[in-house]
Amino acid sequence: MLGWKKNKENLDKKAAYRPLENETLHNIQNGNELSLLKHNQKCIVTRINDKIEETGFAAENLISLTQDIAKNAEIQKESIEKVVNEISNYSALAEEVFASTENSKRIAEQTMEIAREGSNAVDSSISAMNEIELSVQNAKKVVNDLSLKAAHINEMLAIIKDIANHTNLLSLNASIEAARAGEAGRGFAVVAQEVKNLAQRSAESAGHISNTINEINNSIDETIGAMNKSMDKVLEGSNIGKNTKEVFNNIINAVSTTSEVAEEINAAVSKQTESLENIISSTEEMNRTSEKVMGMVETASLNTQYTKTSLNILSNVSKDLQSISTKLLDKIETDEKAELVLTTFLSEAPLSYDPQLAIDTQSGQILYNVHGGLLLISSTGEITPGIAKSWYVEDDNLTWIFNLRKGAKFHNGREITAEDVKYTYERLLRPSLKSPNSWFLEQIEGAKEYNKGIAQEVKGIKILDRYRVSLKLTRPYTGFLLNLGQYVCSILAKEDVEKGNLTGCGPYILESTEKDRCVLTAFNNYFGGSPYVDKIIVRFEGPKSIESFIDNKCDFVTIDNKKQIEELSKVKNLDIKYKSIMGTYYAGFNLRSNSIFAKDNEIRKALNLAVNKKKIIDEILGGLGEEAKGPMPPNMVDNKYLSGFNYNQRSAKEILSRKGTLIGNSKLKILIREESNETIFYKITQSIINDLKEVGIECTLEKVSPDKYLNPESINRSDLFLSRWISDTGDMDNFLQPMFNPSNFTDFTGYNNPKVTEMMEKAKEIVNPDKRIQLYKELQQIIVDDSPWIFLYHPQLGHISREGVIGVRISPLGIVRYEDIIIEK
């Protein structure tokens, strides 16, 4: 709405919300149009001057960066020269290795020949041992036979001894008989005596022979023992010979392998030598390229300095233009400028006006326009200077230094200092605040310890002086600067926060809030330049937005559904502009519940197949969306590689039929907001219920108020809930971490896959964009396979504004920057 008034203090508050009357429009066109032009001219000149100054900051950063590149290029050149020298030395060493492997090869061949001769000698030795073993066994057999014969001789000697004893007895008897015979028996007595002597000598001889035989037996036993030992030694020698042969065989095999390896080494070294020559050639080329880079860096440095000089001149011209323009405008007499007021709509009321607690899109739309941080996100989604005019990272690639603008002010008029940055960031991380957004700063050293209450301050946040602050990270993180540009990291005035007032430093001041609207008033001391429009009235009655626009009660509005498009189609000559948004709508499963619908992966996939996403896009959104194959939007990561879950009731029924026993009579509990049945979420819910009914799934509804919808207590009452996520930064890590890292409050489903968490942490440090995207593609595929959601669609937004209102632009994050809107007439 275009609202005008002569005196702000005397304006009837209700009049600010009324459409302009025709008579007022006529007066504006005839009397105050020049006043409007003067106002716009003044704002534009001021903003041009501010933007030139910001460009100067960027040029200074570029000069500093170019100088660093020059230094690093020089270091790189020196390093390349060292590499060339080292490679040359290594090439010579490779040639020596080649020669050594040739000598090793010859020695190996000689060793193999000697080993073969040794193996043959061992064969001969084993053969001789076998013959010795046979001879010893034969000798042992002969000695055993001798032992047996000696035993027989002993037996015979025993008989001889017995005969001698009997003969001696007979001789005694003969002597007795001869004595009885007298003279007649004397001769017989002599014979008897001789027989006795002979018997005694025989007995003595037998005794001697027996002793000798015993000695022979003892010798035989010793001989057999020695032969047994010889046999053992022969067997031992034979075994040693066999083992020696195995050793020689192993030596032969090893030498053979060594020879083969030597040949492979020769081939490898030969190829390596060729490669080294190529590397030397490449490094020499790198050296030449490095010299060219040095020249280009020097040229870039000169050009950057020229740019800086030109910007300084342009800045002076801008200041002169501002001075002349001011004088010129002062010479033009016009009526007092009326207050410029525009009216717009949000689909629903913000959940919070505290930037550190808000998590919804509606809150973001307001807070991006009320607050500012060290860095800002532009209407194109890129980083721009904010409170920090410049920044750089130190050599450790961890410590970021931010230089604050002098004179940048809070809405209360106080200058912003480095102390405010430290206070605000520590407030965001404060355990007592329990911010769901604390993860935005968790990469800062000591942030986690402070957030857990085990540290008194955040170690990595240092105040260097009044206008400089350093933030040290625990490890390199490519998305860190984008995080600092979010409204979550907006800088707040400590003295007012402690009184319950969230004083910011953005282009607009939050003047008042009501149940159905809020009012934003321009902050004329905004460091980015005063906004063109004095006041923005934001109404929270989304269903009434198009009707209000058609009835001239609204000046610009965003469009996100079919009904709005159909209503606007009745009005001729309307130019609706469309923008794809980095966001996603989904139906999330409550993975913490015990419901079979949430616990079983196959059933979750079946429900994905059962929902007709195209129907939702066509019949509810009017085509303002693209079917989701996974969580990330295609303008962030190309999703052509994903197969997704195309609508297929037949496949869904087949899976559910297999799971029929598990499902039984279970009903799916869906969480729904207590709101108008004209809202998008309500319509999507009904469409999902109808599709699930078609495949045999009955649903029940759990109703809660919109402000409590995403509370854990509410989600835990259900099996399925509807939500959306609009990217904060456009960074892939920022998009996935909130929803799939279990340590984050915004992981509403309770999804917890350690592999996904580990991969997300790894991806933060990857600098190479191609490798980073590839890792996120793998991540997304794993999440799709786990199916924690029914993936619905990625949204598009349309917007339309009244004639004479320009500068309404939707960023890829779905945000409209009110400060850029201009009323032309």
Short mmCIF file of all heavy atoms in Angstrom, two decimals, residues 97-119:
data_model
loop_
_atom_site.label_atom_id
_atom_site.label_comp_id
_atom_site.label_asym_id
_atom_site.label_seq_id
_atom_site.Cartn_x
_atom_site.Cartn_y
_atom_site.Cartn_z
N VAL A 97 70.23 -47.08 -8.59
CA VAL A 97 69.42 -48.24 -8.19
C VAL A 97 69.32 -49.23 -9.34
O VAL A 97 69.42 -50.45 -9.16
CB VAL A 97 68.01 -47.78 -7.74
CG1 VAL A 97 67.10 -48.99 -7.55
CG2 VAL A 97 68.10 -46.99 -6.45
N PHE A 98 69.16 -48.69 -10.55
CA PHE A 98 69.06 -49.55 -11.73
C PHE A 98 70.34 -50.36 -11.89
O PHE A 98 70.30 -51.58 -12.12
CB PHE A 98 68.81 -48.68 -12.96
CG PHE A 98 68.58 -49.48 -14.23
CD1 PHE A 98 67.35 -50.06 -14.48
CD2 PHE A 98 69.60 -49.65 -15.15
CE1 PHE A 98 67.15 -50.80 -15.64
CE2 PHE A 98 69.40 -50.38 -16.30
CZ PHE A 98 68.17 -50.96 -16.55
N ALA A 99 71.50 -49.67 -11.75
CA ALA A 99 72.79 -50.36 -11.87
C ALA A 99 72.95 -51.38 -10.76
O ALA A 99 73.42 -52.51 -10.99
CB ALA A 99 73.93 -49.34 -11.83
N SER A 100 72.55 -51.00 -9.54
CA SER A 100 72.66 -51.92 -8.40
C SER A 100 71.80 -53.15 -8.58
O SER A 100 72.20 -54.26 -8.24
CB SER A 100 72.28 -51.20 -7.11
OG SER A 100 73.16 -50.12 -6.87
N THR A 101 70.60 -52.97 -9.11
CA THR A 101 69.71 -54.12 -9.32
C THR A 101 70.28 -55.05 -10.40
O THR A 101 70.10 -56.26 -10.34
CB THR A 101 68.32 -53.66 -9.74
OG1 THR A 101 68.40 -52.74 -10.83
CG2 THR A 101 67.61 -52.97 -8.58
N GLU A 102 71.02 -54.50 -11.38
CA GLU A 102 71.68 -55.33 -12.37
C GLU A 102 72.74 -56.19 -11.70
O GLU A 102 72.85 -57.40 -11.96
CB GLU A 102 72.31 -54.45 -13.47
CG GLU A 102 71.32 -53.90 -14.49
CD GLU A 102 70.73 -55.00 -15.35
OE1 GLU A 102 71.41 -56.02 -15.58
OE2 GLU A 102 69.58 -54.85 -15.78
N ASN A 103 73.58 -55.58 -10.84
CA ASN A 103 74.59 -56.33 -10.09
C ASN A 103 73.93 -57.37 -9.20
O ASN A 103 74.39 -58.51 -9.11
CB ASN A 103 75.44 -55.38 -9.24
CG ASN A 103 76.31 -54.46 -10.09
OD1 ASN A 103 76.66 -54.81 -11.22
ND2 ASN A 103 76.65 -53.29 -9.56
N SER A 104 72.85 -56.95 -8.53
CA SER A 104 72.11 -57.89 -7.67
C SER A 104 71.60 -59.08 -8.47
O SER A 104 71.61 -60.22 -8.00
CB SER A 104 70.94 -57.17 -7.00
OG SER A 104 71.41 -56.15 -6.17
N LYS A 105 71.17 -58.79 -9.69
CA LYS A 105 70.65 -59.86 -10.55
C LYS A 105 71.74 -60.87 -10.86
O LYS A 105 71.53 -62.09 -10.79
CB LYS A 105 70.07 -59.25 -11.81
CG LYS A 105 69.40 -60.24 -12.73
CD LYS A 105 68.82 -59.56 -13.95
CE LYS A 105 68.21 -60.59 -14.88
NZ LYS A 105 67.70 -59.97 -16.12
N ARG A 106 72.97 -60.37 -11.21
CA ARG A 106 74.09 -61.27 -11.52
C ARG A 106 74.49 -62.07 -10.28
O ARG A 106 74.73 -63.28 -10.36
CB ARG A 106 75.28 -60.45 -12.04
CG ARG A 106 75.07 -59.91 -13.47
CD ARG A 106 76.38 -59.40 -14.05
NE ARG A 106 76.85 -58.23 -13.35
CZ ARG A 106 76.49 -56.99 -13.68
NH1 ARG A 106 75.65 -56.79 -14.69
NH2 ARG A 106 76.96 -55.96 -13.00
N ILE A 107 74.57 -61.39 -9.14
CA ILE A 107 74.93 -62.08 -7.90
C ILE A 107 73.88 -63.14 -7.57
O ILE A 107 74.20 -64.25 -7.13
CB ILE A 107 75.05 -61.08 -6.74
CG1 ILE A 107 76.26 -60.16 -6.98
CG2 ILE A 107 75.18 -61.78 -5.40
CD1 ILE A 107 76.33 -58.97 -6.04
N ALA A 108 72.61 -62.82 -7.81
CA ALA A 108 71.54 -63.78 -7.55
C ALA A 108 71.68 -65.00 -8.44
O ALA A 108 71.46 -66.14 -8.00
CB ALA A 108 70.19 -63.10 -7.80
N GLU A 109 72.07 -64.80 -9.70
CA GLU A 109 72.26 -65.93 -10.61
C GLU A 109 73.40 -66.82 -10.13
O GLU A 109 73.31 -68.05 -10.16
CB GLU A 109 72.53 -65.41 -12.01
CG GLU A 109 71.31 -64.77 -12.67
CD GLU A 109 71.62 -64.09 -13.99
OE1 GLU A 109 72.84 -64.01 -14.32
OE2 GLU A 109 70.68 -63.65 -14.67
N GLN A 110 74.53 -66.18 -9.66
CA GLN A 110 75.65 -66.96 -9.12
C GLN A 110 75.23 -67.71 -7.86
O GLN A 110 75.56 -68.88 -7.67
CB GLN A 110 76.82 -66.02 -8.81
CG GLN A 110 77.44 -65.37 -10.05
CD GLN A 110 78.48 -64.32 -9.70
OE1 GLN A 110 78.76 -64.08 -8.52
NE2 GLN A 110 79.05 -63.68 -10.72
N THR A 111 74.48 -67.02 -7.01
CA THR A 111 74.01 -67.66 -5.78
C THR A 111 73.12 -68.85 -6.09
O THR A 111 73.21 -69.90 -5.45
CB THR A 111 73.22 -66.64 -4.94
OG1 THR A 111 74.04 -65.51 -4.67
CG2 THR A 111 72.75 -67.25 -3.63
N MET A 112 72.30 -68.72 -7.11
CA MET A 112 71.40 -69.81 -7.49
C MET A 112 72.21 -71.01 -7.97
O MET A 112 71.90 -72.16 -7.62
CB MET A 112 70.43 -69.35 -8.58
CG MET A 112 69.43 -70.41 -8.99
SD MET A 112 68.26 -69.82 -10.22
CE MET A 112 67.27 -68.75 -9.22
N GLU A 113 73.29 -70.76 -8.74
CA GLU A 113 74.13 -71.86 -9.24
C GLU A 113 74.80 -72.58 -8.09
O GLU A 113 74.82 -73.82 -8.02
CB GLU A 113 75.17 -71.29 -10.21
CG GLU A 113 76.01 -72.34 -10.90
CD GLU A 113 75.18 -73.29 -11.77
OE1 GLU A 113 74.14 -72.84 -12.30
OE2 GLU A 113 75.57 -74.47 -11.90
N ILE A 114 75.36 -71.80 -7.15
CA ILE A 114 76.02 -72.41 -5.97
C ILE A 114 75.00 -73.19 -5.15
O ILE A 114 75.27 -74.30 -4.66
CB ILE A 114 76.68 -71.31 -5.11
CG1 ILE A 114 77.85 -70.69 -5.89
CG2 ILE A 114 77.16 -71.88 -3.79
CD1 ILE A 114 78.41 -69.44 -5.23
N ALA A 115 73.80 -72.64 -5.01
CA ALA A 115 72.75 -73.32 -4.24
C ALA A 115 72.37 -74.63 -4.90
O ALA A 115 72.13 -75.64 -4.22
CB ALA A 115 71.54 -72.41 -4.12
N ARG A 116 72.35 -74.65 -6.23
CA ARG A 116 72.02 -75.89 -6.94
C ARG A 116 73.11 -76.93 -6.72
O ARG A 116 72.82 -78.11 -6.50
CB ARG A 116 71.85 -75.61 -8.42
CG ARG A 116 70.51 -74.94 -8.74
CD ARG A 116 70.42 -74.55 -10.18
NE ARG A 116 69.12 -73.93 -10.48
CZ ARG A 116 68.90 -73.10 -11.48
NH1 ARG A 116 69.89 -72.78 -12.30
NH2 ARG A 116 67.69 -72.60 -11.68
N GLU A 117 74.42 -76.49 -6.77
CA GLU A 117 75.52 -77.42 -6.50
C GLU A 117 75.43 -77.95 -5.06
O GLU A 117 75.62 -79.14 -4.80
CB GLU A 117 76.86 -76.70 -6.70
CG GLU A 117 77.14 -76.36 -8.16
CD GLU A 117 78.42 -75.55 -8.32
OE1 GLU A 117 79.09 -75.32 -7.28
OE2 GLU A 117 78.75 -75.16 -9.46
N GLY A 118 75.13 -77.05 -4.13
CA GLY A 118 74.96 -77.48 -2.74
C GLY A 118 73.83 -78.47 -2.60
O GLY A 118 73.93 -79.46 -1.86
N SER A 119 72.74 -78.25 -3.33
CA SER A 119 71.61 -79.17 -3.29
C SER A 119 72.01 -80.54 -3.81
O SER A 119 71.64 -81.58 -3.24
CB SER A 119 70.46 -78.59 -4.11
OG SER A 119 69.36 -79.46 -4.11
#
